[in-house]
């Protein structure tokens, strides 16, 4: 990866992180959560490009597919959140309507299965486009990215609380 490309990735990653930190106090709003999720997905793709040393050709083939899959998965997760909210409300009613609860449980299961299919589609796109070494690097990248993201979110949370 050339030096200019690294600089672009670093600048974009910094912009994504600053946007995520700025959105921290407003995360209760759905549009802010969606924007933060999009920013994190963009950061993940940028860091993945660097960690896997993707070629320009691989990047061109992977990014549109992975972005589409992430967006579709996000929509499914949003729908699942709404169904779970409805399920909570149904469970709080007295007397509980079992038929309604069973229907909502089935909707959650169906949505979870749809999310699993999107994960499989994501993995398939990677399998077709990555070398064996890149596949191994991707597994390590996932662990490191999740750990680093968790640490950054904890730091932002503590800074917001004034600790």
């Amino acid at each position: 990866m050339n030096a200019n490309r690294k600089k672009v990735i670093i600048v974009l990653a910094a912009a994504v992180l600053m946007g995520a930190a700025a959105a921290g106090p407003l995360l209760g709003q759905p549009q802010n959560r969606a924007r933060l999720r999009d920013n994190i997905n963009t950061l993940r793709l940028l860091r993945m490009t660097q960690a896997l040393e993707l070629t320009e050709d691989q990047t061109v083939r992977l990014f549109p597919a992975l972005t589409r899959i992430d967006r579709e998965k996000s929509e499914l997760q949003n729908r699942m959140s709404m169904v779970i909210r409805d399920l909570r409300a149904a469970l709080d009613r007295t007397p509980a309507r079992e038929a309604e609860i069973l229907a909502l449980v089935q909707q959650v299961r169906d949505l979870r299965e749809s999310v699993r299919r999107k994960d499989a589609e994501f993995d398939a796109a990677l399998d077709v486009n990555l070398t064996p070494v890149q596949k191994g690097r991707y597994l390590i990248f996932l662990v490191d990215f999740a750990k680093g993201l968790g640490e950054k979110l904890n730091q932002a949370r503590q800074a917001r609380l004034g600790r």
Side-chain angles (χ1 to χ4, degrees), residues 55-126:
T55 65
E56 287 184 34
D57 186 49
Q58 287 174 312
T59 302
V60 167
R61 285 191 318 250
L62 279 170
F63 271 37
L66 299 182
T67 301
R68 176 189 53 79
I69 293 166
D70 274 340
R71 187 163 287 118
E72 291 169 358
K73 186 176 167 183
S74 177
E75 290 170 11
L76 290 167
Q77 290 168 331
N78 286 338
R79 286 178 35 208
M80 190 176 347
S81 293
M82 290 187 294
V83 174
I84 289 172
R85 182 197 65 216
D86 294 344
L87 178 59
R88 285 181 197 278
L91 289 168
D92 287 342
R93 286 191 199 101
T94 305
R97 294 183 227 140
E98 291 182 359
E100 177 187 12
I101 291 169
L102 285 176
L104 291 167
V105 166
Q106 188 58 51
Q107 286 180 39
V108 170
R109 287 180 177 162
D110 291 345
L111 288 165
R112 285 174 51 199
E113 181 56 33
S114 295
V115 169
R116 278 194 282 276
R117 283 195 301 271
K118 288 297 167 191
D119 286 338
E121 187 178 344
F122 192 95
D123 289 344
L126 292 174

Side-chain angles (χ1 to χ4, degrees), residues 14 17 19 28 30 32 35 41 49 51 53-54 57 60 67 88 99 111 143 147 149 153-154 160:
L17 284 176
N32 291 332
R35 190 175 321 123
N41 285 336
T49 299
E53 298 178 6
L54 295 178
D57 186 49
V60 167
T67 301
R88 285 181 197 278
L111 288 165
V143 172
K147 181 180 176 186
L149 183 61
L153 289 173
N154 281 336
R160 192 174 69 233

Side-chain angles (χ1 to χ4, degrees), residues 144-158:
D144 292 346
F145 184 79
K147 181 180 176 186
L149 183 61
E151 289 171 358
K152 294 294 182 194
L153 289 173
N154 281 336
Q155 288 171 0
R157 193 175 298 122
Q158 288 176 356

